[in-house]
Amino acid sequence: MRKATIRDICNDTGLSMGTVSKYLNGGVLKESNRKKIDAAIRKFDYRVDEYARGLITNRTKTVGVLITKMNNLFYTRIISHIEAFLYKKGYSTIIKESSGDLQKELDSIDWLISRRVDALVIIPVGRTKEDYRILDNVGIPVVFLDSYIEGVNCESIVVDNENITYKASDYMIKNGHRKISVIADMNSPYTANARLAGVKRAFRDNAISEDSLRIYSINESLDESYQITRKIVQETDSTAIFASNYISTLGTVYFLNEFNVKVPDEISVLGFDDIMITNLYRPKLTIINQPIAEIAARTVTRLFELLGDENAERKINVLECELVRGQTIAKLD
C-alpha cells in the first residue's frame, strides 16, 4: 500500500498545503479545519516524517538524557517522570548511561548532539567547568540534575541540601545524639559537600565539637555502605547513623536487617530518599524525602522555557525537601 503524503490530506480536506503544514507543525487553526485534518489523518493512516520536519523546523522533538547509573533508583525515577512529562508534550527521550565515567559521559554528549537532540538533561560525572568545554557552544538548552558546576552555561535543578540536613541533624541532636556517623557519597561532591555542611553547621550551632562527628566516604556503592554500617555498629560508639543518600540508606538497611540490629534501641538511623525498600523497612525510617515529581516537572518546564527563548538566563533552581519523622531516632537521656 502506498504511503500517504501531505498532498493526500490536502486533496481530501480541500485545504491548502500551507494550512495543513501549519497544523502538523503545531500551529493553531480554526476548529473546523482541525477536525477535517484529524479525520483525514485517520482515514489515510498518515504518519508525520519527523526527520523531514526536523530539517525544516530545526527541531527533532527529542531530548537526550544522561544518567550515571541505571541501577540508582532515585535517578531512574526522576528520569521516568521526565520521560512521561516530555511524552505529553509530544517529545521523545534518548537515554544513555555514563556508568560514572567522565570520558564515556563526554562521548555520549557528543553522540547525542550529533543526533540533533533539542536539549540535554545530564546527571553529571565531571566536577569542573573544564570537564564540560564540550557544552560551551552547544547551542541547545542543557539542564544539570542534582548538581551545580560553576562556569558551565546550563540550568541546574537541585534541592536545598544544606538546610534540610541541618534540620535533620538538629533533630537528632535535640533528641540527645552527640556521636553521629555520616555516610557520604563523594561520587556526587556538590551534593555530598552541601549535605555535610548542613550537618557540621548543626553541630556548631549546638556547641558540639565536630570531633564527635564521624564521616565515612563511599562512591555510590551498595557494598561499601553495607560494610561501613557494619564498622559503625560493631566498632564505634556512635548512637546514630545518617545515611546521606539513597544508595547509602539502602546499604545501611540491608546490614541492619541481615544482622537483626534493633533500631532504634541499639542504634538510631536517619535515611535519605523514601523509595521502595526503604519505605518497607520497619520500624518506619526517619528519612529525608526529595520531591522527585517536582524535580522532573521543573526540569521539563525550564527546558521548554529555554527552547522558547535562547537568550533566557540560566539559573539554579533550588527545591525544598521534607524531613519525615518515623520511629528510628531514639530519644536519649
Side-chain angles (χ1 to χ4, degrees):
M1 183 177 177
R2 181 177 68 86
K3 182 180 178 181
T5 68
I6 191 172
R7 189 165 296 281
D8 294 319
I9 305 297
C10 295
N11 291 337
D12 189 76
T13 60
L15 299 172
S16 69
M17 183 77 73
T19 300
V20 175
S21 293
K22 179 182 178 181
Y23 179 69
L24 294 176
N25 287 307
V28 179
L29 301 182
K30 292 191 301 184
E31 181 68 10
S32 59
N33 288 341
R34 186 187 66 78
K35 288 182 176 179
K36 287 179 183 179
I37 296 171
D38 282 342
I41 287 172
R42 291 192 297 271
K43 175 180 176 180
F44 292 104
D45 194 25
Y46 177 75
R47 295 288 186 273
V48 177
D49 187 334
E50 294 290 356
Y51 180 75
R53 180 161 68 177
L55 293 175
I56 296 169
T57 64
N58 201 31
R59 292 279 175 87
T60 60
K61 301 197 78 172
T62 58
V63 173
V65 177
L66 257 170
I67 186 170
T68 51
K69 292 184 180 180
M70 294 290 191
N71 63 359
N72 186 316
L73 192 57
F74 170 67
Y75 289 143
T76 53
R77 285 191 68 187
I78 292 176
I79 300 309
S80 178
H81 280 282
I82 288 174
E83 193 280 334
F85 287 132
L86 287 170
Y87 175 76
K88 290 179 181 178
K89 292 180 176 289
Y91 272 67
S92 299
T93 54
I94 303 173
I95 301 172
K96 293 182 71 66
E97 181 183 38
S98 68
S99 304
D101 182 283
L102 178 59
Q103 189 56 54
K104 184 178 179 183
E105 180 180 67
L106 296 176
D107 289 344
S108 295
I109 290 172
D110 188 59
W111 185 89
L112 288 165
I113 292 170
S114 73
R115 265 60 183 180
R116 302 177 60 248
V117 295
D118 293 338
L120 288 168
V121 176
I122 302 171
I123 299 169
V125 174
R127 303 185 179 190
T128 68
K129 64 179 181 179
E130 286 73 25
D131 291 330
Y132 292 102
R133 290 300 183 194
I134 191 173
L135 298 177
D136 283 351
N137 300 298
V138 71
I140 58 174
V142 179
V143 176
F144 277 2
L145 292 182
D146 203 34
S147 185
Y148 167 72
I149 300 176
E150 188 173 358
V152 179
N153 184 31
C154 71
E155 194 85 358
S156 289
I157 312 288
V158 298
V159 298
D160 193 354
N161 288 292
E162 181 173 342
N163 282 330
I164 192 60
T165 55
Y166 175 90
K167 180 178 180 180
S169 300
D170 186 67
Y171 173 67
M172 287 190 286
I173 291 168
K174 292 294 193 294
N175 275 281
H177 296 276
R178 299 294 183 272
K179 296 178 180 179
I180 300 173
S181 287
V182 181
I183 306 176
D185 180 6
M186 299 312 297
N187 198 56
S188 303
Y190 171 82
T191 299
N193 288 332
R195 291 176 185 176
L196 287 174
V199 177
K200 291 177 180 179
R201 180 157 60 92
F203 268 66
R204 289 195 303 272
D205 286 357
N206 284 280
I208 303 170
S209 170
E210 287 186 22
D211 291 341
S212 299
L213 183 64
R214 296 183 178 88
I215 298 170
Y216 299 88
S217 298
I218 63 169
N219 286 296
E220 200 173 348
S221 168
L222 189 64
D223 183 63
E224 280 185 61
S225 58
Y226 176 98
Q227 295 301 336
I228 286 172
T229 303
R230 178 199 296 272
K231 179 180 178 67
I232 294 168
V233 171
Q234 296 180 351
E235 300 178 20
T236 77
D237 58 353
S238 293
T239 62
I241 298 173
F242 177 21
S244 67
N245 77 335
Y246 173 67
I247 293 297
S248 62
T249 302
L250 207 55
T252 298
V253 166
Y254 276 160
F255 176 83
L256 297 175
N257 228 29
E258 185 173 341
F259 287 87
N260 295 313
V261 178
K262 292 181 175 59
V263 177
D265 296 342
E266 295 180 40
I267 196 162
S268 292
V269 179
L270 175 70
F272 223 105
D273 298 322
D274 197 1
I275 303 172
M276 288 185 67
I277 194 168
T278 55
N279 191 37
L280 297 174
Y281 182 75
R282 292 295 179 269
K284 183 172 174 57
L285 275 172
T286 296
I287 200 161
I288 293 170
N289 213 9
Q290 297 194 71
I292 288 175
E294 187 182 353
I295 291 169
R298 181 70 62 88
T299 299
V300 174
T301 297
R302 286 300 295 155
L303 274 182
F304 279 92
E305 289 174 354
L306 295 171
L307 282 168
D309 180 6
E310 63 181 22
N311 296 315
E313 180 185 358
R314 272 55 173 170
K315 61 185 181 181
I316 305 172
N317 300 260
V318 182
L319 306 180
E320 298 299 319
C321 293
E322 178 188 13
L323 175 61
V324 181
R325 299 183 182 185
Q327 293 117 18
T328 55
I329 302 296
K331 186 171 182 60
L332 304 182
D333 295 332

